[in-house]
Amino acid sequence: MSTPPTGPLCTRDSIATQLGAAGLRRGDTVLVHSSLSSLGWVCGGAATVVSALLDVLGEAGTLVTPAQSADNSDPASWRNPPVPESWWAEIRASMPPYDPRTTPSTGVGVIPEAVRNRPGAVRSAHPQTSFAAIGARAAEVVAEHALDSQLGERSPLARLAAMDARVLLLGVGFDSCTAFHLAEYRLPAPPEADNSFAITTPRGRSWTTVRDVVLDDGDFAELGAAFAVARPVELGRVGGAVTRLFSLADAVAFAEVWLAARRGRNDVDGRVAP
């Protein structure tokens, strides 16, 4: 005998009403991080949540979600799980190249996949850390995403900060707040490392390596807790999910100061000084 579903019951109308009560406004440009399961039982699943978000934002608004595809990376860095070293060369030679139209997003939940597959959605060009967007400013958001700027100044994140976009955490915590990564790029002399992936060039598939900032979200939950105390964060509820809504640029500015103080300088042996 199967277990009956647990609530609350969420519909397109109820989600839209509660998003509005949580502070989302018509015309907003909003970066959404989400967990479908946190909402309860959603009639129509992830597509319903996307429809409700677009209902609230209206024709002048823009919905943005991460559409990451982290599996397109060097197998030497894989840890969950690792693969045998004897496989690495063949994986590098045969990894499917990133295609913004067909490469699925991974590790960001099912709502971003529903956005990515929505008619009219557009997607940025980075093979690992792309963003999908729908709405009035969607093309502007995803227009440039440099291969050596996963989440930096030549990525949609910097553009969203300049647009006065907001972040909506829908049933997830600050550890999912991608915007904080932009602050890592703005730290003095951030650590860098090689980053590899498969892309399509005019001459065909290519396994490509670039130099980029090392991303580290290990302290983002603590950073977010400090941010929520110091800066305006609107709390709400949609179904069973707690929502947090705040300025993306404000979050980045706060994170720059907090991370600089917390992480300190890099010692020559790679350790972080207190």
Side-chain angles (χ1 to χ4, degrees), residues 93-119:
S94 57
M95 175 69 69
Y98 173 69
D99 184 333
R101 299 165 300 175
T102 60
T103 299
S105 59
T106 57
V108 289
V110 295
I111 292 172
E113 267 293 271
V115 171
R116 183 184 72 81
N117 286 297
R118 189 95 168 188

Side-chain angles (χ1 to χ4, degrees), residues 46 68 70 90 104 114 117 130-131 135 139-140 182 190 197 205 215 234:
Q68 297 172 5
E90 187 170 354
N117 286 297
S130 66
F131 292 80
E140 184 182 353
L182 180 55
F197 34 70
R205 180 197 178 277
L215 303 177
E234 296 183 62

Side-chain angles (χ1 to χ4, degrees), residues 96-170:
Y98 173 69
D99 184 333
R101 299 165 300 175
T102 60
T103 299
S105 59
T106 57
V108 289
V110 295
I111 292 172
E113 267 293 271
V115 171
R116 183 184 72 81
N117 286 297
R118 189 95 168 188
V122 290
R123 190 180 188 185
S124 68
H126 200 281
Q128 295 171 337
T129 56
S130 66
F131 292 80
I134 305 173
R137 306 187 74 177
E140 184 182 353
V141 169
V142 305
E144 180 189 12
H145 201 162
L147 294 179
D148 60 351
S149 184
Q150 292 179 83
L151 297 167
E153 301 298 344
R154 290 173 294 149
S155 79
L157 269 186
R159 203 159 300 108
L160 287 166
M163 289 178 177
D164 198 27
R166 298 203 286 170
V167 176
L168 173 65
L169 302 180
L170 180 58

Side-chain angles (χ1 to χ4, degrees), residues 69 71-74 91-100 103 124-130 145-148 195-210:
S69 43
D71 289 348
N72 187 354
S73 58
D74 193 330
I91 290 172
R92 292 174 184 136
S94 57
M95 175 69 69
Y98 173 69
D99 184 333
T103 299
S124 68
H126 200 281
Q128 295 171 337
T129 56
S130 66
H145 201 162
L147 294 179
D148 60 351
N195 188 29
S196 302
F197 34 70
I199 60 171
T200 299
T201 74
R203 291 175 292 181
R205 180 197 178 277
S206 173
W207 181 256
T208 299
T209 299
V210 299

Side-chain angles (χ1 to χ4, degrees), residues 32-258:
V32 178
H33 297 281
S34 56
S35 164
L36 180 66
S37 62
S38 71
L39 296 170
W41 193 87
V42 179
C43 184
T48 290
V49 180
V50 176
S51 295
L53 283 160
L54 294 174
D55 288 344
V56 177
L57 295 173
E59 291 185 2
T62 304
L63 171 62
V64 186
T65 60
Q68 297 172 5
S69 43
D71 289 348
N72 187 354
S73 58
D74 193 330
S77 66
W78 294 356
R79 298 291 180 267
N80 294 308
V83 294
E85 186 173 354
S86 60
W87 295 6
W88 293 356
E90 187 170 354
I91 290 172
R92 292 174 184 136
S94 57
M95 175 69 69
Y98 173 69
D99 184 333
R101 299 165 300 175
T102 60
T103 299
S105 59
T106 57
V108 289
V110 295
I111 292 172
E113 267 293 271
V115 171
R116 183 184 72 81
N117 286 297
R118 189 95 168 188
V122 290
R123 190 180 188 185
S124 68
H126 200 281
Q128 295 171 337
T129 56
S130 66
F131 292 80
I134 305 173
R137 306 187 74 177
E140 184 182 353
V141 169
V142 305
E144 180 189 12
H145 201 162
L147 294 179
D148 60 351
S149 184
Q150 292 179 83
L151 297 167
E153 301 298 344
R154 290 173 294 149
S155 79
L157 269 186
R159 203 159 300 108
L160 287 166
M163 289 178 177
D164 198 27
R166 298 203 286 170
V167 176
L168 173 65
L169 302 180
L170 180 58
V172 299
F174 281 103
D175 55 329
S176 298
C177 183
T178 303
F180 289 151
H181 284 299
L182 180 55
E184 294 184 297
Y185 282 78
R186 295 178 175 179
L187 296 175
E192 295 184 350
D194 286 345
N195 188 29
S196 302
F197 34 70
I199 60 171
T200 299
T201 74
R203 291 175 292 181
R205 180 197 178 277
S206 173
W207 181 256
T208 299
T209 299
V210 299
R211 197 75 177 168
D212 203 350
V213 168
V214 176
L215 303 177
D216 179 7
D217 61 4
D219 50 6
F220 280 10
E222 187 177 358
L223 164 57
F227 171 68
V229 170
R231 303 298 301 152
V233 176
E234 296 183 62
L235 291 174
R237 183 170 291 275
V238 175
V242 173
T243 63
R244 295 174 175 86
L245 187 64
F246 50 91
S247 161
L248 190 152
D250 195 19
V252 174
F254 182 90
E256 284 184 67
V257 176
W258 192 94

